Amino acid sequence: MTTINPLEDRVVIEVLDAEEITAGGIVLPNSAQEKPQRGKVKAIGPGRLLKNGKRADLSVKKGDEVFFGRYAGTEVSVDDVEYKILRENEILARRS
Amino acid sequence: MTTINPLEDRVVIEVLDAEEITAGGIVLPNSAQEKPQRGKVKAIGPGRLLKNGKRADLSVKKGDEVFFGRYAGTEVSVDDVEYKILRENEILARRS
Amino acid sequence: MTTINPLEDRVVIEVLDAEEITAGGIVLPNSAQEKPQRGKVKAIGPGRLLKNGKRADLSVKKGDEVFFGRYAGTEVSVDDVEYKILRENEILARRS
Amino acid sequence: MTTINPLEDRVVIEVLDAEEITAGGIVLPNSAQEKPQRGKVKAIGPGRLLKNGKRADLSVKKGDEVFFGRYAGTEVSVDDVEYKILRENEILARRS
Amino acid sequence: MTTINPLEDRVVIEVLDAEEITAGGIVLPNSAQEKPQRGKVKAIGPGRLLKNGKRADLSVKKGDEVFFGRYAGTEVSVDDVEYKILRENEILARRS
Amino acid sequence: MTTINPLEDRVVIEVLDAEEITAGGIVLPNSAQEKPQRGKVKAIGPGRLLKNGKRADLSVKKGDEVFFGRYAGTEVSVDDVEYKILRENEILARRS
Amino acid sequence: MTTINPLEDRVVIEVLDAEEITAGGIVLPNSAQEKPQRGKVKAIGPGRLLKNGKRADLSVKKGDEVFFGRYAGTEVSVDDVEYKILRENEILARRS
């Protein structure tokens, strides 16, 4: 199986479907233009290199569900699964 | 229920309706192109990381009603409610 | 009544009408494309945060009449009055 | 009479007519697209604030005739006179 | 034979074909617009020059298979082989 | 006679004709889009102000013939002569 | 004969023809849009001025054959020869 090892402060995200279910259970697909996307963190890089030679801890970890802008990052397709590679500062929030 | 935990100096805003009521009580919808928007702060991030390892306090808090540019930030729809995730410096003013 | 409290080095301006009266008293409306605007300062923020933890004084104060570029800042309409929220460095000059 | 007090390192310029007179005395209007403009300095700001808390001296003074790019700065019309408000680094040269 | 010696923190990549094989063995060419590319590192530069006069180690080495954005870097064709010359920070991840 | 005194690290250039003469003596006008221009340095500014309060020496002097990009700088027409005012870093090379 | 003396960290390159010869000897002109160019270094500048008053050594020398992006730098035609003037960081690699 293929593993993607992101460099620096990058994060590999498995993209989650953007559908929304209303209170009444009706599926409302988001309009592609204005909505962000959600995904699950699959792998994180070693962190950005600091001037003192250490690396900064990332603020997300493997398994976190996160929000990001729909056009953020770069899409990568590996073994039929769609991933995004984002820099840490393209991640807007964690969902809990 | 879903909680959105913004990273860094980001803030989650519940968007308020942009309608204006004139002195005579007539509703004047703002033209979408030139007006900012208002919203209520629902969650704030831990603050921007400073060089000394601490985090900067945010200048808004949960519950504040704030002004921001209509095109600022990223829209997120969670459980049928429309939110915006903004960076602190995209918030123009607090209303009181 | 609503109060707008600008953050950081922002300033709330009540926009003044752009008409010009010639020596002969004829009103010459400015062409919208090339003229700046004038306004009266209604509120000022606490100032930009400096590295030493203090805030920089603003160089304008409440009541000043100021010049700014027509496209500077963000328009806000509150209680039927049109305001602009500007950053301090978008203010070009004070009129006296 | 109105006075314009520029902020920071800004300068107020009274714009001079762009006409050129050839050796033979024929007036050659500059093509609007490629020529800069000249003007006379009417007021100067206090100078840019330095890190040590002092302000940098401006390299032009009231009365100087200066060159600047045609699209530099912001036009302001006060009491029927056309001015430009420029930052110091938009001034290309002094004429003598 | 020709050797390409990249300068600074640049890396020479031999581009790998972007085809994907599904579980059922059907070849799905990536759409050119949204997919990144993969390649094999053929040569690395000496690293970016640091202020202390040393050079920063690169985080990839010859032989690594890497991901990069489709529009990153510059294409070079040498002896009929297609290469890309990328800066280190245009490399998104290593594959393993 | 008019003198142009450039500010900071700016340089006044008298533009030289862009024609090229081939070995056979045929004049080949440069295509306007891709060729730089040459000129003769007529005046130099005092140099860019350094943090220590001194000014950096310019690397060209009056009389030098220099190369620059065709779209660099700002054209100024004084007493029927066409000049360009360039910043020092817009000068590509000296001819000798 | 004319000599071009590049300033700072600039380099003068004599552009080499972009044709490629395949294994079978067929000439394949590069498509103009996506391919870089090669050239031979004819002259180098004194190097970028460092804060300590010294100049940084260039990483290429006269005679080197180098790769650069097709749209990098500025074309100069002198004595019927086509040159490019590039900054050092526009040079991607040396060929050997």
Side-chain angles (χ1 to χ4, degrees), chain A residues 1-8 10 12 51 55 74-80 82 85 87, chain E residues 20-23 28 30 34-36 38 59-60 67 69 89-96:
Chain A
M1 213 200 96
T2 300
T3 306
I4 314 174
N5 307 288
L7 300 188
E8 300 290 314
R10 290 186 183 84
V12 177
K51 288 198 174 162
R55 291 193 174 267
T74 306
E75 292 177 27
V76 188
S77 174
V78 175
D79 300 335
D80 268 337
E82 198 73 17
I85 301 177
R87 300 210 84 127
Chain E
E20 285 292 318
I21 303 192
T22 67
L28 292 179
N30 288 337
E34 306 206 359
K35 299 299 163 63
R38 297 175 202 166
S59 52
V60 293
F67 292 94
N89 70 4
E90 294 178 300
I91 300 179
L92 305 174
R94 262 196 320 270
R95 190 180 188 180
S96 65

Coordinates of all heavy atoms in Angstrom, one line a residue, chain A residues 1-8 10 12 51 55 74-80 82 85 87, chain E residues 20-23 28 30 34-36 38 59-60 67 69 89-96:
Chain A
M1 N 0.8 -1.2 0.0 CA 0.0 0.0 0.0 C 0.9 1.2 0.0 O 2.0 1.3 0.5 CB -0.9 0.0 1.3 CG -2.3 0.6 1.0 SD -3.0 1.1 2.6 CE -2.5 2.9 2.7
T2 N 0.3 2.3 -0.6 CA 1.1 3.5 -0.7 C 0.9 4.4 0.5 O -0.2 4.6 1.0 CB 0.6 4.3 -2.0 OG1 0.8 3.5 -3.1 CG2 1.4 5.6 -2.1
T3 N 2.0 5.0 1.0 CA 1.9 6.0 2.0 C 2.4 7.3 1.5 O 3.4 7.4 0.8 CB 2.7 5.5 3.3 OG1 2.4 4.2 3.6 CG2 2.5 6.5 4.4
I4 N 1.7 8.4 1.9 CA 2.1 9.7 1.5 C 2.7 10.4 2.7 O 2.0 10.5 3.8 CB 0.9 10.6 1.0 CG1 0.0 9.8 0.0 CG2 1.4 11.8 0.4 CD1 -1.2 10.5 -0.4
N5 N 3.9 10.8 2.7 CA 4.6 11.4 3.8 C 4.7 12.9 3.5 O 5.7 13.3 2.8 CB 6.0 10.8 4.0 CG 5.9 9.3 4.1 OD1 5.5 8.8 5.1 ND2 6.4 8.6 3.0
P6 N 3.9 13.7 4.1 CA 4.0 15.2 3.7 C 5.2 15.8 4.3 O 5.7 15.4 5.4 CB 2.7 15.8 4.4 CG 2.3 14.8 5.4 CD 2.8 13.4 5.0
L7 N 5.8 16.8 3.6 CA 7.0 17.5 4.0 C 6.6 18.7 4.9 O 5.5 19.3 4.7 CB 7.8 18.0 2.8 CG 8.3 16.9 1.9 CD1 9.3 17.5 0.9 CD2 9.0 15.7 2.6
E8 N 7.5 19.2 5.7 CA 7.3 20.4 6.4 C 6.1 20.5 7.3 O 5.8 19.5 8.0 CB 7.4 21.7 5.5 CG 8.7 21.8 4.7 CD 9.8 22.2 5.6 OE1 9.7 23.1 6.4 OE2 10.9 21.5 5.5
R10 N 3.0 20.3 6.2 CA 1.9 19.9 5.4 C 1.1 18.7 6.1 O 1.7 18.0 6.9 CB 2.4 19.5 4.0 CG 2.8 20.7 3.2 CD 3.2 20.3 1.8 NE 3.7 21.4 1.0 CZ 4.9 21.8 1.0 NH1 5.8 21.2 1.7 NH2 5.3 22.8 0.3
V12 N -1.9 15.6 5.1 CA -2.7 14.8 4.1 C -4.1 14.6 4.7 O -4.2 14.1 5.8 CB -2.0 13.5 3.8 CG1 -2.8 12.7 2.8 CG2 -0.6 13.7 3.2
K51 N 14.0 28.7 13.5 CA 15.3 29.2 13.4 C 16.3 28.5 14.4 O 17.5 28.5 14.1 CB 15.3 30.7 13.7 CG 14.7 31.5 12.5 CD 15.0 33.0 12.6 CE 14.5 33.6 11.3 NZ 14.4 35.1 11.4
R55 N 11.6 21.8 15.2 CA 10.4 21.9 14.3 C 9.2 22.3 15.2 O 9.1 21.7 16.3 CB 10.2 20.6 13.5 CG 11.3 20.4 12.5 CD 11.0 19.3 11.5 NE 12.0 19.3 10.4 CZ 11.9 19.9 9.3 NH1 10.8 20.6 9.0 NH2 12.8 19.8 8.4
T74 N -3.7 21.0 -2.6 CA -3.5 20.3 -3.9 C -4.1 18.9 -3.8 O -3.9 18.2 -2.8 CB -2.0 20.2 -4.2 OG1 -1.4 21.4 -4.1 CG2 -1.7 19.6 -5.6
E75 N -4.9 18.5 -4.8 CA -5.5 17.2 -4.8 C -4.5 16.1 -5.3 O -3.8 16.3 -6.2 CB -6.7 17.2 -5.7 CG -7.8 18.0 -5.2 CD -9.0 18.1 -6.2 OE1 -9.2 17.1 -7.0 OE2 -9.7 19.1 -6.2
V76 N -4.5 15.0 -4.6 CA -3.7 13.9 -5.0 C -4.6 12.6 -5.0 O -5.3 12.4 -4.0 CB -2.6 13.6 -3.9 CG1 -1.6 12.6 -4.4 CG2 -1.8 14.9 -3.6
S77 N -4.5 11.8 -6.0 CA -5.3 10.6 -6.1 C -4.3 9.4 -6.0 O -3.5 9.2 -6.8 CB -6.1 10.5 -7.4 OG -6.7 9.3 -7.5
V78 N -4.5 8.6 -4.9 CA -3.6 7.5 -4.7 C -4.4 6.3 -4.4 O -5.3 6.3 -3.5 CB -2.6 7.8 -3.5 CG1 -1.8 6.5 -3.2 CG2 -1.8 9.0 -3.8
D79 N -4.2 5.2 -5.1 CA -4.9 3.9 -5.0 C -6.4 4.2 -4.9 O -7.2 3.7 -4.1 CB -4.5 3.2 -3.7 CG -3.0 2.9 -3.7 OD1 -2.5 2.7 -4.8 OD2 -2.4 2.8 -2.6
D80 N -6.9 5.1 -5.8 CA -8.3 5.3 -6.0 C -9.0 6.1 -4.9 O -10.2 6.3 -4.8 CB -9.1 4.0 -6.1 CG -9.3 3.6 -7.6 OD1 -9.2 4.5 -8.4 OD2 -9.5 2.5 -7.8
E82 N -9.2 9.9 -3.0 CA -8.9 11.3 -3.2 C -8.4 11.9 -1.9 O -9.0 11.9 -0.9 CB -10.2 12.0 -3.7 CG -10.0 13.3 -4.4 CD -9.4 13.1 -5.8 OE1 -9.5 12.0 -6.3 OE2 -8.9 14.1 -6.3
I85 N -3.4 17.7 0.0 CA -2.3 18.0 0.8 C -2.4 19.5 1.0 O -2.4 20.3 0.1 CB -1.0 17.7 0.0 CG1 -0.9 16.1 -0.3 CG2 0.2 18.0 0.9 CD1 0.3 15.7 -1.1
R87 N -1.2 22.9 3.6 CA -0.3 23.5 4.6 C -1.1 23.7 5.9 O -2.3 23.9 5.8 CB 0.3 24.8 4.2 CG 1.1 24.7 2.9 CD 2.3 25.7 2.8 NE 3.4 25.2 3.5 CZ 4.7 25.1 3.0 NH1 4.9 25.5 1.8 NH2 5.7 24.7 3.8
Chain E
E20 N -3.7 6.4 -13.5 CA -4.2 5.7 -12.3 C -4.8 4.4 -12.7 O -5.6 4.4 -13.7 CB -5.2 6.5 -11.6 CG -4.6 7.7 -10.8 CD -3.8 7.2 -9.7 OE1 -4.2 6.3 -8.9 OE2 -2.7 7.8 -9.5
I21 N -4.5 3.3 -12.1 CA -5.2 2.1 -12.4 C -6.2 1.8 -11.2 O -5.8 1.7 -10.1 CB -4.2 0.9 -12.5 CG1 -3.2 1.3 -13.6 CG2 -4.9 -0.4 -12.8 CD1 -2.3 0.2 -14.0
T22 N -7.5 1.6 -11.6 CA -8.5 1.4 -10.6 C -8.4 -0.1 -10.1 O -7.6 -0.9 -10.6 CB -9.9 1.6 -11.2 OG1 -10.1 0.5 -12.2 CG2 -10.0 2.9 -11.8
A23 N -9.2 -0.4 -9.0 CA -9.2 -1.7 -8.5 C -9.5 -2.7 -9.6 O -8.9 -3.8 -9.6 CB -10.2 -1.8 -7.4
L28 N -7.5 5.2 -15.6 CA -8.2 6.5 -15.6 C -7.2 7.6 -15.7 O -6.6 7.9 -14.7 CB -9.0 6.6 -14.2 CG -10.1 5.6 -14.0 CD1 -10.7 5.9 -12.6 CD2 -11.2 5.9 -15.1
N30 N -5.7 11.1 -15.2 CA -6.1 12.2 -14.4 C -6.5 13.4 -15.3 O -6.0 13.5 -16.4 CB -4.9 12.7 -13.6 CG -4.6 11.7 -12.5 OD1 -5.5 11.0 -12.1 ND2 -3.4 11.8 -12.0
E34 N -6.6 19.4 -12.4 CA -6.7 19.4 -10.9 C -5.7 18.5 -10.2 O -5.6 18.6 -9.0 CB -8.1 19.1 -10.5 CG -9.1 20.0 -11.2 CD -10.4 20.1 -10.3 OE1 -10.5 19.5 -9.3 OE2 -11.3 20.8 -10.7
K35 N -5.1 17.6 -11.0 CA -4.2 16.7 -10.3 C -2.8 17.1 -10.3 O -2.3 17.7 -11.2 CB -4.3 15.3 -11.1 CG -5.7 14.7 -11.2 CD -6.2 14.4 -9.8 CE -7.7 14.2 -9.8 NZ -8.2 13.1 -10.6
P36 N -2.0 16.7 -9.2 CA -0.6 17.0 -9.1 C 0.1 15.9 -10.0 O -0.5 15.1 -10.6 CB -0.3 16.8 -7.7 CG -1.2 15.8 -7.2 CD -2.5 15.9 -8.0
R38 N 3.6 13.1 -10.0 CA 4.6 12.4 -9.3 C 5.9 12.4 -10.1 O 5.8 12.4 -11.3 CB 4.2 11.0 -9.0 CG 2.9 11.0 -8.1 CD 2.5 9.5 -7.9 NE 1.1 9.6 -7.6 CZ 0.3 8.5 -7.6 NH1 0.8 7.3 -8.0 NH2 -1.0 8.6 -7.3
S59 N 15.3 18.1 2.3 CA 14.5 17.0 2.9 C 14.2 15.9 2.0 O 13.4 15.0 2.3 CB 13.3 17.6 3.6 OG 12.5 18.3 2.7
V60 N 14.7 15.9 0.8 CA 14.5 14.8 -0.2 C 15.9 14.4 -0.7 O 16.8 15.2 -0.6 CB 13.6 15.1 -1.4 CG1 12.2 15.3 -0.9 CG2 14.1 16.3 -2.1
F67 N 5.6 13.9 -4.7 CA 4.4 14.6 -5.2 C 4.6 16.1 -5.4 O 5.3 16.7 -4.5 CB 3.2 14.4 -4.3 CG 2.7 13.0 -4.2 CD1 3.1 12.2 -3.1 CD2 1.7 12.6 -5.0 CE1 2.6 10.9 -3.0 CE2 1.2 11.3 -4.9 CZ 1.7 10.5 -3.9
G69 N 2.7 19.9 -7.4 CA 1.6 20.4 -8.1 C 1.9 20.4 -9.6 O 3.1 20.6 -10.0
N89 N 10.5 23.8 -1.7 CA 9.2 24.0 -1.1 C 8.1 23.8 -2.1 O 6.9 24.0 -1.7 CB 9.1 25.3 -0.4 CG 9.1 26.5 -1.4 OD1 9.1 26.3 -2.6 ND2 9.2 27.7 -0.9
E90 N 8.4 23.4 -3.3 CA 7.3 23.0 -4.3 C 7.0 21.5 -4.2 O 6.1 21.0 -4.8 CB 7.7 23.4 -5.7 CG 7.7 24.9 -5.9 CD 8.2 25.3 -7.3 OE1 9.3 24.9 -7.7 OE2 7.4 26.0 -7.9
I91 N 7.8 20.8 -3.4 CA 7.6 19.4 -3.2 C 6.6 19.2 -2.0 O 6.9 19.7 -0.9 CB 8.9 18.6 -3.0 CG1 9.8 18.8 -4.2 CG2 8.7 17.1 -2.7 CD1 11.2 18.2 -4.0
L92 N 5.5 18.5 -2.3 CA 4.5 18.4 -1.3 C 4.7 17.2 -0.3 O 4.4 17.3 0.9 CB 3.1 18.2 -2.0 CG 2.8 19.3 -3.0 CD1 1.5 18.9 -3.7 CD2 2.7 20.6 -2.3
A93 N 5.1 16.1 -0.8 CA 5.2 14.9 0.0 C 6.1 13.9 -0.7 O 6.4 14.0 -1.9 CB 3.8 14.3 0.2
R94 N 6.6 12.9 0.1 CA 7.3 11.8 -0.4 C 6.4 10.6 -0.4 O 5.6 10.4 0.5 CB 8.5 11.5 0.5 CG 9.8 12.0 0.1 CD 11.0 11.3 0.9 NE 10.6 11.1 2.3 CZ 10.8 11.9 3.3 NH1 11.4 13.0 3.1 NH2 10.4 11.6 4.5
R95 N 6.5 9.7 -1.3 CA 5.7 8.5 -1.4 C 6.5 7.3 -0.9 O 7.7 7.2 -1.2 CB 5.3 8.2 -2.8 CG 4.2 7.2 -3.0 CD 3.9 7.0 -4.4 NE 2.7 6.1 -4.6 CZ 2.2 5.8 -5.7 NH1 2.6 6.4 -6.8 NH2 1.1 5.0 -5.8
S96 N 5.9 6.4 -0.1 CA 6.7 5.3 0.4 C 5.7 4.1 0.5 O 4.5 4.2 0.3 CB 7.3 5.5 1.7 OG 6.4 5.7 2.7

